[in-house]
PDB file of all heavy atoms in Angstrom:
ATOM      1  N   VAL A1466     -15.878  -3.267   9.664  1.00  0.00           N
ATOM      2  CA  VAL A1466     -14.811  -4.411   9.600  1.00  0.00           C
ATOM      3  C   VAL A1466     -14.474  -4.598   8.165  1.00  0.00           C
ATOM      4  O   VAL A1466     -13.188  -4.765   8.028  1.00  0.00           O
ATOM      5  CB  VAL A1466     -15.546  -5.645  10.207  1.00  0.00           C
ATOM      6  CG1 VAL A1466     -14.497  -6.872  10.053  1.00  0.00           C
ATOM      7  CG2 VAL A1466     -15.796  -5.509  11.663  1.00  0.00           C
ATOM      8  N   VAL A1467     -15.254  -4.575   7.253  1.00  0.00           N
ATOM      9  CA  VAL A1467     -14.837  -4.829   5.863  1.00  0.00           C
ATOM     10  C   VAL A1467     -14.007  -3.683   5.388  1.00  0.00           C
ATOM     11  O   VAL A1467     -12.961  -3.957   4.699  1.00  0.00           O
ATOM     12  CB  VAL A1467     -16.187  -4.978   4.975  1.00  0.00           C
ATOM     13  CG1 VAL A1467     -15.758  -4.868   3.441  1.00  0.00           C
ATOM     14  CG2 VAL A1467     -16.914  -6.258   5.278  1.00  0.00           C
ATOM     15  N   ALA A1468     -14.327  -2.521   5.673  1.00  0.00           N
ATOM     16  CA  ALA A1468     -13.531  -1.301   5.227  1.00  0.00           C
ATOM     17  C   ALA A1468     -12.096  -1.376   5.840  1.00  0.00           C
ATOM     18  O   ALA A1468     -11.094  -1.129   5.231  1.00  0.00           O
ATOM     19  CB  ALA A1468     -14.099   0.000   5.707  1.00  0.00           C
ATOM     20  N   LEU A1469     -12.015  -1.787   7.204  1.00  0.00           N
ATOM     21  CA  LEU A1469     -10.780  -1.811   7.828  1.00  0.00           C
ATOM     22  C   LEU A1469      -9.840  -2.892   7.223  1.00  0.00           C
ATOM     23  O   LEU A1469      -8.597  -2.735   7.061  1.00  0.00           O
ATOM     24  CB  LEU A1469     -10.839  -1.924   9.276  1.00  0.00           C
ATOM     25  CG  LEU A1469     -11.467  -0.663   9.986  1.00  0.00           C
ATOM     26  CD1 LEU A1469     -11.701  -1.019  11.474  1.00  0.00           C
ATOM     27  CD2 LEU A1469     -10.561   0.590   9.911  1.00  0.00           C
ATOM     28  N   LEU A1470     -10.506  -4.035   7.017  1.00  0.00           N
ATOM     29  CA  LEU A1470      -9.791  -5.258   6.490  1.00  0.00           C
ATOM     30  C   LEU A1470      -9.286  -4.902   4.959  1.00  0.00           C
ATOM     31  O   LEU A1470      -8.235  -5.294   4.685  1.00  0.00           O
ATOM     32  CB  LEU A1470     -10.626  -6.437   6.327  1.00  0.00           C
ATOM     33  CG  LEU A1470     -10.849  -7.172   7.761  1.00  0.00           C
ATOM     34  CD1 LEU A1470     -11.856  -8.291   7.540  1.00  0.00           C
ATOM     35  CD2 LEU A1470      -9.386  -7.785   8.222  1.00  0.00           C
ATOM     36  N   ALA A1471     -10.167  -4.228   4.201  1.00  0.00           N
ATOM     37  CA  ALA A1471      -9.716  -3.832   2.837  1.00  0.00           C
ATOM     38  C   ALA A1471      -8.504  -2.925   2.849  1.00  0.00           C
ATOM     39  O   ALA A1471      -7.599  -3.052   2.094  1.00  0.00           O
ATOM     40  CB  ALA A1471     -10.924  -3.244   2.149  1.00  0.00           C
ATOM     41  N   ALA A1472      -8.550  -1.878   3.728  1.00  0.00           N
ATOM     42  CA  ALA A1472      -7.483  -1.055   3.892  1.00  0.00           C
ATOM     43  C   ALA A1472      -6.170  -1.725   4.323  1.00  0.00           C
ATOM     44  O   ALA A1472      -5.056  -1.514   3.713  1.00  0.00           O
ATOM     45  CB  ALA A1472      -7.833   0.071   4.832  1.00  0.00           C
ATOM     46  N   ALA A1473      -6.192  -2.581   5.294  1.00  0.00           N
ATOM     47  CA  ALA A1473      -5.111  -3.234   5.804  1.00  0.00           C
ATOM     48  C   ALA A1473      -4.442  -4.249   4.757  1.00  0.00           C
ATOM     49  O   ALA A1473      -3.292  -4.268   4.494  1.00  0.00           O
ATOM     50  CB  ALA A1473      -5.373  -4.046   7.081  1.00  0.00           C
ATOM     51  N   LEU A1474      -5.408  -4.962   4.061  1.00  0.00           N
ATOM     52  CA  LEU A1474      -4.949  -5.921   3.061  1.00  0.00           C
ATOM     53  C   LEU A1474      -4.251  -5.233   1.859  1.00  0.00           C
ATOM     54  O   LEU A1474      -3.309  -5.617   1.360  1.00  0.00           O
ATOM     55  CB  LEU A1474      -6.073  -6.829   2.534  1.00  0.00           C
ATOM     56  CG  LEU A1474      -6.621  -7.783   3.642  1.00  0.00           C
ATOM     57  CD1 LEU A1474      -7.865  -8.543   3.057  1.00  0.00           C
ATOM     58  CD2 LEU A1474      -5.521  -8.866   3.944  1.00  0.00           C
ATOM     59  N   SER A1475      -4.882  -4.029   1.383  1.00  0.00           N
ATOM     60  CA  SER A1475      -4.337  -3.274   0.375  1.00  0.00           C
ATOM     61  C   SER A1475      -2.955  -2.725   0.776  1.00  0.00           C
ATOM     62  O   SER A1475      -2.073  -2.673  -0.206  1.00  0.00           O
ATOM     63  CB  SER A1475      -5.331  -2.224  -0.023  1.00  0.00           C
ATOM     64  OG  SER A1475      -5.534  -1.238   0.928  1.00  0.00           O
ATOM     65  N   ALA A1476      -2.809  -2.201   1.979  1.00  0.00           N
ATOM     66  CA  ALA A1476      -1.576  -1.795   2.435  1.00  0.00           C
ATOM     67  C   ALA A1476      -0.466  -2.844   2.453  1.00  0.00           C
ATOM     68  O   ALA A1476       0.696  -2.687   1.919  1.00  0.00           O
ATOM     69  CB  ALA A1476      -1.677  -1.212   3.764  1.00  0.00           C
ATOM     70  N   SER A1477      -0.857  -4.076   2.857  1.00  0.00           N
ATOM     71  CA  SER A1477       0.106  -5.188   2.896  1.00  0.00           C
ATOM     72  C   SER A1477       0.450  -5.613   1.402  1.00  0.00           C
ATOM     73  O   SER A1477       1.660  -5.874   1.170  1.00  0.00           O
ATOM     74  CB  SER A1477      -0.569  -6.387   3.564  1.00  0.00           C
ATOM     75  OG  SER A1477       0.291  -7.427   3.520  1.00  0.00           O
ATOM     76  N   ALA A1478      -0.440  -5.683   0.572  1.00  0.00           N
ATOM     77  CA  ALA A1478      -0.167  -6.158  -0.801  1.00  0.00           C
ATOM     78  C   ALA A1478       0.556  -5.036  -1.501  1.00  0.00           C
ATOM     79  O   ALA A1478       1.671  -5.448  -2.324  1.00  0.00           O
ATOM     80  CB  ALA A1478      -1.511  -6.359  -1.585  1.00  0.00           C
ATOM     81  N   PHE A1479       0.411  -3.786  -1.373  1.00  0.00           N
ATOM     82  CA  PHE A1479       1.100  -2.774  -1.968  1.00  0.00           C
ATOM     83  C   PHE A1479       2.529  -2.720  -1.444  1.00  0.00           C
ATOM     84  O   PHE A1479       3.512  -2.658  -2.185  1.00  0.00           O
ATOM     85  CB  PHE A1479       0.413  -1.337  -1.737  1.00  0.00           C
ATOM     86  CG  PHE A1479       1.317  -0.170  -2.305  1.00  0.00           C
ATOM     87  CD1 PHE A1479       1.323   0.085  -3.605  1.00  0.00           C
ATOM     88  CD2 PHE A1479       1.934   0.646  -1.398  1.00  0.00           C
ATOM     89  CE1 PHE A1479       2.072   1.175  -4.015  1.00  0.00           C
ATOM     90  CE2 PHE A1479       2.694   1.664  -1.870  1.00  0.00           C
ATOM     91  CZ  PHE A1479       2.665   1.907  -3.126  1.00  0.00           C
ATOM     92  N   THR A1480       2.764  -2.851  -0.106  1.00  0.00           N
ATOM     93  CA  THR A1480       4.004  -2.827   0.464  1.00  0.00           C
ATOM     94  C   THR A1480       4.902  -4.030  -0.128  1.00  0.00           C
ATOM     95  O   THR A1480       6.003  -3.919  -0.345  1.00  0.00           O
ATOM     96  CB  THR A1480       3.981  -2.873   2.000  1.00  0.00           C
ATOM     97  OG1 THR A1480       3.216  -1.643   2.329  1.00  0.00           O
ATOM     98  CG2 THR A1480       5.292  -2.851   2.675  1.00  0.00           C
ATOM     99  N   ALA A1481       4.236  -5.185  -0.194  1.00  0.00           N
ATOM    100  CA  ALA A1481       4.948  -6.372  -0.652  1.00  0.00           C
ATOM    101  C   ALA A1481       5.386  -6.131  -2.109  1.00  0.00           C
ATOM    102  O   ALA A1481       6.481  -6.577  -2.462  1.00  0.00           O
ATOM    103  CB  ALA A1481       4.018  -7.510  -0.562  1.00  0.00           C
ATOM    104  N   HIS A1482       4.520  -5.563  -2.884  1.00  0.00           N
ATOM    105  CA  HIS A1482       4.945  -5.348  -4.278  1.00  0.00           C
ATOM    106  C   HIS A1482       6.115  -4.308  -4.340  1.00  0.00           C
ATOM    107  O   HIS A1482       7.033  -4.480  -5.177  1.00  0.00           O
ATOM    108  CB  HIS A1482       3.765  -4.746  -5.012  1.00  0.00           C
ATOM    109  CG  HIS A1482       3.918  -4.579  -6.492  1.00  0.00           C
ATOM    110  ND1 HIS A1482       4.400  -5.593  -7.363  1.00  0.00           N
ATOM    111  CD2 HIS A1482       3.818  -3.446  -7.252  1.00  0.00           C
ATOM    112  CE1 HIS A1482       4.533  -5.081  -8.579  1.00  0.00           C
ATOM    113  NE2 HIS A1482       4.188  -3.806  -8.542  1.00  0.00           N
ATOM    114  N   VAL A1483       6.023  -3.257  -3.552  1.00  0.00           N
ATOM    115  CA  VAL A1483       7.126  -2.309  -3.523  1.00  0.00           C
ATOM    116  C   VAL A1483       8.318  -2.911  -2.996  1.00  0.00           C
ATOM    117  O   VAL A1483       9.456  -2.640  -3.550  1.00  0.00           O
ATOM    118  CB  VAL A1483       6.713  -1.018  -2.659  1.00  0.00           C
ATOM    119  CG1 VAL A1483       7.931  -0.119  -2.437  1.00  0.00           C
ATOM    120  CG2 VAL A1483       5.630  -0.249  -3.246  1.00  0.00           C
ATOM    121  N   ARG A1484       8.324  -3.777  -2.022  1.00  0.00           N
ATOM    122  CA  ARG A1484       9.540  -4.456  -1.633  1.00  0.00           C
ATOM    123  C   ARG A1484      10.165  -5.250  -2.738  1.00  0.00           C
ATOM    124  O   ARG A1484      11.496  -5.283  -2.966  1.00  0.00           O
ATOM    125  CB  ARG A1484       9.179  -5.423  -0.456  1.00  0.00           C
ATOM    126  CG  ARG A1484      10.373  -6.047   0.153  1.00  0.00           C
ATOM    127  CD  ARG A1484      10.016  -7.059   1.303  1.00  0.00           C
ATOM    128  NE  ARG A1484       9.695  -6.386   2.484  1.00  0.00           N
ATOM    129  CZ  ARG A1484       8.518  -6.323   3.017  1.00  0.00           C
ATOM    130  NH1 ARG A1484       7.567  -6.841   2.406  1.00  0.00           N
ATOM    131  NH2 ARG A1484       8.278  -5.645   4.112  1.00  0.00           N
ATOM    132  N   ARG A1485       9.374  -5.934  -3.460  1.00  0.00           N
ATOM    133  CA  ARG A1485       9.876  -6.752  -4.577  1.00  0.00           C
ATOM    134  C   ARG A1485      10.549  -5.916  -5.744  1.00  0.00           C
ATOM    135  O   ARG A1485      11.507  -6.245  -6.160  1.00  0.00           O
ATOM    136  CB  ARG A1485       8.779  -7.729  -5.111  1.00  0.00           C
ATOM    137  CG  ARG A1485       8.280  -8.816  -4.273  1.00  0.00           C
ATOM    138  CD  ARG A1485       7.450  -9.798  -5.145  1.00  0.00           C
ATOM    139  NE  ARG A1485       6.306  -9.238  -5.615  1.00  0.00           N
ATOM    140  CZ  ARG A1485       5.115  -9.047  -4.964  1.00  0.00           C
ATOM    141  NH1 ARG A1485       4.967  -9.668  -3.797  1.00  0.00           N
ATOM    142  NH2 ARG A1485       4.094  -8.509  -5.573  1.00  0.00           N
ATOM    143  N   ARG A1486       9.847  -4.868  -6.045  1.00  0.00           N
ATOM    144  CA  ARG A1486      10.326  -4.038  -7.068  1.00  0.00           C
ATOM    145  C   ARG A1486      11.436  -3.016  -6.788  1.00  0.00           C
ATOM    146  O   ARG A1486      12.363  -2.855  -7.533  1.00  0.00           O
ATOM    147  CB  ARG A1486       9.073  -3.238  -7.697  1.00  0.00           C
ATOM    148  CG  ARG A1486       8.150  -4.087  -8.501  1.00  0.00           C
ATOM    149  CD  ARG A1486       8.762  -4.823  -9.730  1.00  0.00           C
ATOM    150  NE  ARG A1486       9.531  -3.924 -10.482  1.00  0.00           N
ATOM    151  CZ  ARG A1486       8.998  -3.034 -11.400  1.00  0.00           C
ATOM    152  NH1 ARG A1486       7.721  -3.051 -11.643  1.00  0.00           N
ATOM    153  NH2 ARG A1486       9.759  -2.209 -12.119  1.00  0.00           N
ATOM    154  N   LEU A1487      11.391  -2.502  -5.585  1.00  0.00           N
ATOM    155  CA  LEU A1487      12.318  -1.356  -5.300  1.00  0.00           C
ATOM    156  C   LEU A1487      13.245  -1.681  -4.083  1.00  0.00           C
ATOM    157  O   LEU A1487      14.202  -0.964  -3.896  1.00  0.00           O
ATOM    158  CB  LEU A1487      11.518  -0.076  -4.935  1.00  0.00           C
ATOM    159  CG  LEU A1487      10.536   0.476  -5.998  1.00  0.00           C
ATOM    160  CD1 LEU A1487       9.812   1.730  -5.405  1.00  0.00           C
ATOM    161  CD2 LEU A1487      11.276   0.684  -7.294  1.00  0.00           C
ATOM    162  N   GLY A1488      12.854  -2.629  -3.234  1.00  0.00           N
ATOM    163  CA  GLY A1488      13.612  -2.996  -2.192  1.00  0.00           C
ATOM    164  C   GLY A1488      13.442  -2.078  -0.980  1.00  0.00           C
ATOM    165  O   GLY A1488      14.181  -2.269  -0.019  1.00  0.00           O
ATOM    166  N   GLY A1489      12.653  -1.074  -1.038  1.00  0.00           N
ATOM    167  CA  GLY A1489      12.418  -0.080   0.021  1.00  0.00           C
ATOM    168  C   GLY A1489      11.361   0.975  -0.302  1.00  0.00           C
ATOM    169  O   GLY A1489      10.977   0.970  -1.425  1.00  0.00           O
ATOM    170  N   HIS A1490      11.140   1.808   0.585  1.00  0.00           N
ATOM    171  CA  HIS A1490      10.175   2.881   0.385  1.00  0.00           C
ATOM    172  C   HIS A1490      10.749   4.154  -0.181  1.00  0.00           C
ATOM    173  O   HIS A1490      12.056   4.292   0.031  1.00  0.00           O
ATOM    174  CB  HIS A1490       9.387   3.147   1.657  1.00  0.00           C
ATOM    175  CG  HIS A1490      10.309   3.922   2.677  1.00  0.00           C
ATOM    176  ND1 HIS A1490      10.723   3.231   3.810  1.00  0.00           N
ATOM    177  CD2 HIS A1490      10.843   5.047   2.766  1.00  0.00           C
ATOM    178  CE1 HIS A1490      11.457   4.019   4.545  1.00  0.00           C
ATOM    179  NE2 HIS A1490      11.465   5.201   3.889  1.00  0.00           N
ATOM    180  N   THR A1491      10.009   4.996  -0.669  1.00  0.00           N
ATOM    181  CA  THR A1491      10.422   6.377  -1.177  1.00  0.00           C
ATOM    182  C   THR A1491       9.223   7.416  -0.628  1.00  0.00           C
ATOM    183  O   THR A1491       8.303   6.729  -0.255  1.00  0.00           O
ATOM    184  CB  THR A1491      10.658   6.505  -2.654  1.00  0.00           C
ATOM    185  OG1 THR A1491       9.327   6.459  -3.215  1.00  0.00           O
ATOM    186  CG2 THR A1491      11.556   5.370  -3.259  1.00  0.00           C
ATOM    187  N   GLY A1492       9.493   8.568  -0.842  1.00  0.00           N
ATOM    188  CA  GLY A1492       8.498   9.467  -0.426  1.00  0.00           C
ATOM    189  C   GLY A1492       7.235   9.260  -1.300  1.00  0.00           C
ATOM    190  O   GLY A1492       6.087   9.393  -0.848  1.00  0.00           O
ATOM    191  N   ASP A1493       7.571   8.905  -2.508  1.00  0.00           N
ATOM    192  CA  ASP A1493       6.329   8.659  -3.470  1.00  0.00           C
ATOM    193  C   ASP A1493       5.629   7.506  -3.080  1.00  0.00           C
ATOM    194  O   ASP A1493       4.312   7.404  -3.032  1.00  0.00           O
ATOM    195  CB  ASP A1493       6.928   8.498  -4.880  1.00  0.00           C
ATOM    196  CG  ASP A1493       7.394   9.682  -5.507  1.00  0.00           C
ATOM    197  OD1 ASP A1493       6.806  10.831  -5.195  1.00  0.00           O
ATOM    198  OD2 ASP A1493       8.406   9.614  -6.353  1.00  0.00           O
ATOM    199  N   THR A1494       6.265   6.380  -2.687  1.00  0.00           N
ATOM    200  CA  THR A1494       5.430   5.160  -2.341  1.00  0.00           C
ATOM    201  C   THR A1494       4.675   5.332  -1.021  1.00  0.00           C
ATOM    202  O   THR A1494       3.669   4.699  -0.792  1.00  0.00           O
ATOM    203  CB  THR A1494       6.393   3.917  -2.184  1.00  0.00           C
ATOM    204  OG1 THR A1494       7.272   4.034  -1.065  1.00  0.00           O
ATOM    205  CG2 THR A1494       7.248   3.696  -3.404  1.00  0.00           C
ATOM    206  N   ILE A1495       5.203   6.216  -0.105  1.00  0.00           N
ATOM    207  CA  ILE A1495       4.493   6.479   1.102  1.00  0.00           C
ATOM    208  C   ILE A1495       3.250   7.181   0.838  1.00  0.00           C
ATOM    209  O   ILE A1495       2.112   6.796   1.300  1.00  0.00           O
ATOM    210  CB  ILE A1495       5.408   7.278   2.065  1.00  0.00           C
ATOM    211  CG1 ILE A1495       6.577   6.478   2.568  1.00  0.00           C
ATOM    212  CG2 ILE A1495       4.590   7.912   3.293  1.00  0.00           C
ATOM    213  CD1 ILE A1495       7.636   7.421   3.333  1.00  0.00           C
ATOM    214  N   GLY A1496       3.327   8.216  -0.074  1.00  0.00           N
ATOM    215  CA  GLY A1496       2.010   8.877  -0.547  1.00  0.00           C
ATOM    216  C   GLY A1496       1.088   7.932  -1.248  1.00  0.00           C
ATOM    217  O   GLY A1496      -0.043   8.051  -1.103  1.00  0.00           O
ATOM    218  N   ALA A1497       1.672   7.075  -2.136  1.00  0.00           N
ATOM    219  CA  ALA A1497       0.884   6.243  -2.865  1.00  0.00           C
ATOM    220  C   ALA A1497       0.136   5.247  -2.055  1.00  0.00           C
ATOM    221  O   ALA A1497      -1.064   4.921  -2.241  1.00  0.00           O
ATOM    222  CB  ALA A1497       1.751   5.397  -3.940  1.00  0.00           C
ATOM    223  N   CYS A1498       0.729   4.803  -0.897  1.00  0.00           N
ATOM    224  CA  CYS A1498       0.167   3.858   0.111  1.00  0.00           C
ATOM    225  C   CYS A1498      -1.145   4.509   0.657  1.00  0.00           C
ATOM    226  O   CYS A1498      -2.117   3.870   0.891  1.00  0.00           O
ATOM    227  CB  CYS A1498       1.191   3.383   1.171  1.00  0.00           C
ATOM    228  SG  CYS A1498       0.458   2.211   2.353  1.00  0.00           S
ATOM    229  N   GLN A1499      -0.994   5.859   0.973  1.00  0.00           N
ATOM    230  CA  GLN A1499      -2.235   6.548   1.513  1.00  0.00           C
ATOM    231  C   GLN A1499      -3.337   6.473   0.543  1.00  0.00           C
ATOM    232  O   GLN A1499      -4.449   6.230   0.897  1.00  0.00           O
ATOM    233  CB  GLN A1499      -1.756   7.995   1.810  1.00  0.00           C
ATOM    234  CG  GLN A1499      -2.907   8.791   2.526  1.00  0.00           C
ATOM    235  CD  GLN A1499      -3.974   9.324   1.626  1.00  0.00           C
ATOM    236  OE1 GLN A1499      -3.598   9.716   0.456  1.00  0.00           O
ATOM    237  NE2 GLN A1499      -5.205   9.436   2.055  1.00  0.00           N
ATOM    238  N   GLN A1500      -3.070   6.783  -0.758  1.00  0.00           N
ATOM    239  CA  GLN A1500      -4.163   6.661  -1.823  1.00  0.00           C
ATOM    240  C   GLN A1500      -4.645   5.370  -1.918  1.00  0.00           C
ATOM    241  O   GLN A1500      -5.892   5.302  -2.020  1.00  0.00           O
ATOM    242  CB  GLN A1500      -3.420   7.211  -3.066  1.00  0.00           C
ATOM    243  CG  GLN A1500      -3.162   8.663  -3.105  1.00  0.00           C
ATOM    244  CD  GLN A1500      -4.333   9.496  -3.226  1.00  0.00           C
ATOM    245  OE1 GLN A1500      -4.940   9.700  -4.390  1.00  0.00           O
ATOM    246  NE2 GLN A1500      -4.747  10.212  -2.162  1.00  0.00           N
ATOM    247  N   VAL A1501      -3.849   4.403  -2.143  1.00  0.00           N
ATOM    248  CA  VAL A1501      -4.356   2.911  -2.289  1.00  0.00           C
ATOM    249  C   VAL A1501      -5.262   2.551  -1.140  1.00  0.00           C
ATOM    250  O   VAL A1501      -6.303   2.101  -1.340  1.00  0.00           O
ATOM    251  CB  VAL A1501      -3.103   1.942  -2.408  1.00  0.00           C
ATOM    252  CG1 VAL A1501      -3.620   0.589  -2.379  1.00  0.00           C
ATOM    253  CG2 VAL A1501      -2.458   2.274  -3.721  1.00  0.00           C
ATOM    254  N   THR A1502      -4.804   2.793   0.126  1.00  0.00           N
ATOM    255  CA  THR A1502      -5.632   2.402   1.207  1.00  0.00           C
ATOM    256  C   THR A1502      -6.869   3.103   1.413  1.00  0.00           C
ATOM    257  O   THR A1502      -7.956   2.588   1.702  1.00  0.00           O
ATOM    258  CB  THR A1502      -4.731   2.410   2.520  1.00  0.00           C
ATOM    259  OG1 THR A1502      -4.232   3.702   2.718  1.00  0.00           O
ATOM    260  CG2 THR A1502      -3.594   1.434   2.415  1.00  0.00           C
ATOM    261  N   GLU A1503      -6.892   4.415   1.126  1.00  0.00           N
ATOM    262  CA  GLU A1503      -8.051   5.174   1.257  1.00  0.00           C
ATOM    263  C   GLU A1503      -9.105   4.756   0.203  1.00  0.00           C
ATOM    264  O   GLU A1503     -10.325   4.725   0.474  1.00  0.00           O
ATOM    265  CB  GLU A1503      -7.749   6.747   1.073  1.00  0.00           C
ATOM    266  CG  GLU A1503      -8.983   7.649   1.287  1.00  0.00           C
ATOM    267  CD  GLU A1503      -8.506   9.077   1.318  1.00  0.00           C
ATOM    268  OE1 GLU A1503      -8.199   9.590   0.213  1.00  0.00           O
ATOM    269  OE2 GLU A1503      -8.699   9.660   2.393  1.00  0.00           O
ATOM    270  N   ILE A1504      -8.683   4.559  -1.088  1.00  0.00           N
ATOM    271  CA  ILE A1504      -9.532   4.162  -2.045  1.00  0.00           C
ATOM    272  C   ILE A1504     -10.176   2.743  -1.708  1.00  0.00           C
ATOM    273  O   ILE A1504     -11.398   2.539  -1.868  1.00  0.00           O
ATOM    274  CB  ILE A1504      -8.853   4.033  -3.437  1.00  0.00           C
ATOM    275  CG1 ILE A1504      -8.547   5.469  -3.894  1.00  0.00           C
ATOM    276  CG2 ILE A1504      -9.752   3.348  -4.464  1.00  0.00           C
ATOM    277  CD1 ILE A1504      -7.527   5.506  -5.082  1.00  0.00           C
ATOM    278  N   ALA A1505      -9.339   1.785  -1.221  1.00  0.00           N
ATOM    279  CA  ALA A1505      -9.774   0.500  -0.824  1.00  0.00           C
ATOM    280  C   ALA A1505     -10.820   0.653   0.275  1.00  0.00           C
ATOM    281  O   ALA A1505     -11.835  -0.111   0.237  1.00  0.00           O
ATOM    282  CB  ALA A1505      -8.583  -0.368  -0.334  1.00  0.00           C
ATOM    283  N   ALA A1506     -10.608   1.395   1.308  1.00  0.00           N
ATOM    284  CA  ALA A1506     -11.506   1.600   2.346  1.00  0.00           C
ATOM    285  C   ALA A1506     -12.891   2.266   1.857  1.00  0.00           C
ATOM    286  O   ALA A1506     -13.959   1.662   2.204  1.00  0.00           O
ATOM    287  CB  ALA A1506     -10.967   2.508   3.413  1.00  0.00           C
TER     288      ALA A1506
END
């Protein structure tokens, strides 16, 4: 449960930050999201 929550929360926080800075996704941010969530989990 802790691992899944950490992954979900990190994805949400990262996506919110990308939305504020870039206004949308890129191929790079999609790959970065995989890395961020895997490390968090």
Side-chain angles (χ1 to χ4, degrees):
V1466 172
V1467 168
L1469 292 175
L1470 281 176
L1474 289 173
S1475 64
S1477 179
F1479 174 75
T1480 300
H1482 184 58
V1483 170
R1484 180 183 287 109
R1485 286 194 301 271
R1486 289 297 311 279
L1487 304 179
H1490 68 254
T1491 69
D1493 288 327
T1494 69
I1495 294 170
C1498 185
Q1499 186 278 327
Q1500 290 284 287
V1501 168
T1502 54
E1503 184 172 68
I1504 291 169

